[in-house]
Amino acid sequence: MILLLAFLIPLLSIPFICIVGRKSKKMPAAIIVIFSILDLILLLYAAPEVLDKGKYMESYYWMPMLGAPLTLFIDGVSLSLAVVTLLLIISSIIFSSDYMEERDSIWHFYVLIALLTVGLVGVFITANLMIFYFCWEFMLIPTYFIIGGWGYRESYRAAFKFFIFTHAGAVAVLLGIGAIYMLTGTLDIFQAKDLLTTASQDLLKWIFVALTLGFAVKMAIVPLHMWLPDAHAEAPAPMSALLSGVIIEAGAYAILRISLGTVFPLITDISASSQILYALSILGVISAFYGAMTALAENDIKRIVAYSSISHMGYALFGLSLYPSVEGIIGAVLHLVNHAASKGLLFLNAGAIMKQTGIRDIREMGGLASKMPLTAFSTTISSFSIAGIPSLACFISEFLMFMGGFQVGGEDSFYYVTTAFMIIATVFSLAYALRLIWKIFLESSKIEKAKDPSLLMSIPMIFLSLIVILLGIWSGPIVHLIGSAEIG
């Protein structure tokens, strides 16, 4: 019952949050942190079996009429993403305890975070398509109310835009899942993969397109990205860290697990399968360039980081397009982990800077390195990781993806071209990272008074900075964990 408990534990925290929330603003944060740590321990308890057998599974027979059990499972891919999700939730909650102390009804915020955790963990650990879809849609509700209720300026407008886009994408996902159930009579992805072998090729292609289109909306791939800059810019910093760190990455995970892992191997038309992967690769390149170049032109600190997320989801989609290259897929999954830690940290940095200065426009900052040295260090670590600087997290995952691209390019020269473009995109990533650091910390001072944030805000920034450094210099264990899964 390890995975079932991991799925339900965030729900169990809600009564305690409600009880203490009316009396204390700090205790609800402490409660959700404790329950998230318990959740993390449960998942890590299954890690030895994942490394030994490749996966850990639990099945519960609950609705016989659906023809499939409630199957919960983790392998190296889902465990890696679930663990980094919980680490980012813990960090964001600790950060929020001081960051949002002046807000009203803060315990409602923590209840919504607990509900969001249920959806996020569920997406990563279920093999039942109905439960997956429930968790996929369930994430929308708490996210909508968090952005709208605790956002900055036009918060409900941004929240509504997020809801409409991602719900429209979910309709496409539902059509794909419905077609799978119609053809196989099961909602279990492992059973469905075996039973779909008799389906027509044309129908399999349309199922793949429907699923991938819906997942790409959540992933914010160009041209389906329009919701992301507003949602990230308006959301409170702890929520932005989760939006960019794990929610959009759930879309990439779903493409790998369901679109590529379940449906794509059954498309036997070589020409069609090649065109599908070409399209993913091209969209990845376009997203990488668009996000990086727009971030380079932006002046709002949170929108810069938001557009950077679009760019890095382009990197991930490019890596997924290398399927079934083992190096490419491991690189893509590792990039999701590295990006979650790095981008989550960068959004917390942005929140700390905004709270301490009251300013969003980087042109009005400058000279903060001497006034906020810890924040300057942490922001530099996260920015340089996003830029792909060696010895930091995102460098090694980008390197693996590029290596996979050149490897696949040996058989299909098309990937030499897209890989070369992706390498060029890293130049623009470095450009907006350097501009961000220069404008905020090194340019002549425009702010008279500023200081590093409180201890409770600083601890998560230090913790995530250490993780970003550790992932950059010692990524072997996580690469081994991801490689133990049946991918590629």
Side-chain angles (χ1 to χ4, degrees):
M1 294 184 64
I2 292 175
L3 297 183
L4 184 61
L5 285 174
F7 185 40
L8 297 177
I9 272 181
L11 284 177
L12 300 179
S13 69
I14 293 176
F16 296 96
I17 294 172
C18 295
I19 291 170
V20 304
R22 293 179 177 85
K23 300 178 181 179
S24 169
K25 287 191 173 183
K26 300 289 186 182
M27 283 304 296
I31 288 171
I32 197 168
V33 165
I34 291 169
F35 275 81
S36 296
I37 291 173
L38 290 174
D39 215 353
L40 183 62
I41 292 171
L42 280 172
L43 290 177
L44 292 175
Y45 184 77
E49 185 165 341
V50 171
L51 288 169
D52 183 45
K53 299 180 180 178
K55 68 176 73 170
Y56 173 83
M57 299 184 67
E58 297 174 1
S59 291
Y60 301 92
Y61 291 88
W62 61 315
M63 291 187 183
M65 69 178 66
L66 294 179
L70 167 57
T71 302
L72 302 174
F73 91 108
I74 52 172
D75 61 5
V77 173
S78 54
L79 178 59
S80 300
L81 292 171
V83 166
V84 77
T85 294
L86 289 169
L87 289 175
L88 197 51
I89 287 170
I90 292 167
S91 300
S92 297
I93 293 302
I94 295 173
F95 183 90
S96 70
S97 62
D98 274 0
Y99 179 82
M100 301 185 68
E101 63 181 347
E102 298 171 0
R103 303 293 187 96
D104 296 327
S105 303
I106 192 64
W107 67 275
H108 294 138
F109 170 82
Y110 293 116
V111 168
L112 292 170
I113 289 291
L115 293 174
L116 177 61
T117 304
V118 174
L120 282 169
V121 172
V123 161
F124 292 128
I125 70 172
T126 184
N128 183 288
L129 288 171
M130 189 172 82
I131 298 301
F132 171 87
Y133 183 76
F134 167 79
C135 294
W136 185 262
E137 280 280 70
F138 190 69
M139 288 190 291
L140 299 184
I141 301 170
T143 303
Y144 172 84
F145 286 110
I146 289 172
I147 296 173
W150 289 273
Y152 294 100
R153 298 167 296 192
E154 298 180 341
S155 56
Y156 273 106
R157 178 178 174 273
F160 184 71
K161 190 174 183 179
F162 159 80
F163 187 89
I164 290 299
F165 267 85
T166 50
H167 187 60
V171 172
V173 173
L174 184 60
L175 289 173
I177 292 174
I180 291 174
Y181 182 70
M182 179 189 71
L183 293 169
T184 65
T186 183
L187 290 166
D188 186 280
I189 61 173
F190 300 113
Q191 295 176 13
K193 185 174 181 179
D194 295 330
L195 296 172
L196 279 173
T197 52
T198 59
S200 72
Q201 289 294 298
D202 287 340
L203 194 50
L204 286 173
K205 294 171 193 174
W206 282 111
I207 292 172
F208 180 90
V209 170
L211 291 170
T212 306
L213 178 65
F215 299 146
V217 173
K218 184 69 68 77
M219 201 176 170
I221 293 297
V222 176
L224 306 171
H225 67 287
M226 285 82 80
W227 63 268
L228 185 145
D230 290 340
H232 282 56
E234 295 304 320
M239 186 65 223
S240 294
L242 298 179
L243 264 174
S244 189
V246 288
I247 292 178
I248 62 174
E249 296 184 351
Y253 169 79
I255 289 177
L256 174 60
R257 179 67 69 199
I258 302 175
S259 297
L260 290 173
T262 303
V263 180
F264 183 79
L266 305 177
I267 300 176
T268 56
D269 184 339
I270 302 300
S271 175
S273 60
S274 296
Q275 289 173 5
I276 287 171
L277 295 180
Y278 289 169
L280 296 181
S281 189
I282 291 170
L283 288 172
V285 170
I286 292 171
S287 297
F289 270 91
Y290 173 83
M293 296 180 74
T294 310
L296 188 57
E298 267 288 349
N299 295 307
D300 184 301
I301 184 172
K302 290 197 72 183
R303 293 183 75 88
I304 291 171
V305 186
Y307 280 111
S308 170
S309 297
I310 296 173
S311 179
H312 277 269
M313 287 303 98
Y315 283 86
L317 189 63
F318 165 76
L320 295 177
S321 76
L322 302 175
Y323 188 92
S325 164
V326 174
E327 287 82 1
I329 297 300
I330 289 177
V333 176
L334 181 62
H335 196 65
L336 296 178
V337 174
N338 292 344
H339 177 263
S342 303
K343 189 58 62 64
L345 173 59
L346 190 52
F347 265 116
L348 295 186
N349 296 148
I353 293 167
M354 288 170 57
K355 184 173 179 65
Q356 298 303 101
T357 65
I359 299 172
R360 297 176 66 113
D361 193 326
I362 62 173
R363 295 170 298 182
E364 299 175 10
M365 299 180 187
L368 291 180
S370 59
K371 299 178 177 67
M372 303 176 68
L374 174 61
T375 306
F377 169 78
S378 181
T379 306
T380 301
I381 292 296
S382 55
S383 299
F384 278 0
S385 176
I386 293 299
I389 297 297
S391 79
L392 296 175
C394 289
F395 168 77
I396 187 63
S397 51
E398 290 176 9
F399 179 79
L400 286 174
M401 286 188 287
F402 298 157
M403 187 169 68
F406 284 122
Q407 182 187 58
V408 176
E411 302 174 1
D412 187 342
S413 59
F414 170 84
Y415 289 98
Y416 280 142
V417 178
T418 53
T419 304
F421 273 112
M422 292 303 298
I423 293 174
I424 294 171
T426 63
V427 177
F428 291 95
S429 296
L430 179 59
Y432 69 69
L434 289 174
R435 177 174 178 263
L436 183 74
I437 293 168
W438 174 262
K439 287 287 186 181
I440 297 174
F441 298 109
L442 302 178
E443 204 172 50
S444 57
S445 179
K446 300 180 180 67
I447 300 174
E448 293 184 4
K449 293 183 179 180
K451 62 179 181 178
D452 277 317
S454 66
L455 181 62
L456 283 176
M457 290 173 64
S458 298
I459 288 174
M461 291 161 56
I462 296 169
F463 174 68
L464 290 176
S465 296
L466 293 176
I467 288 181
V468 170
I469 294 171
L470 184 63
L471 286 171
I473 62 177
W474 192 44
S475 58
I478 190 74
V479 169
H480 178 63
L481 179 62
I482 295 168
S484 69
E486 294 180 7
I487 55 176

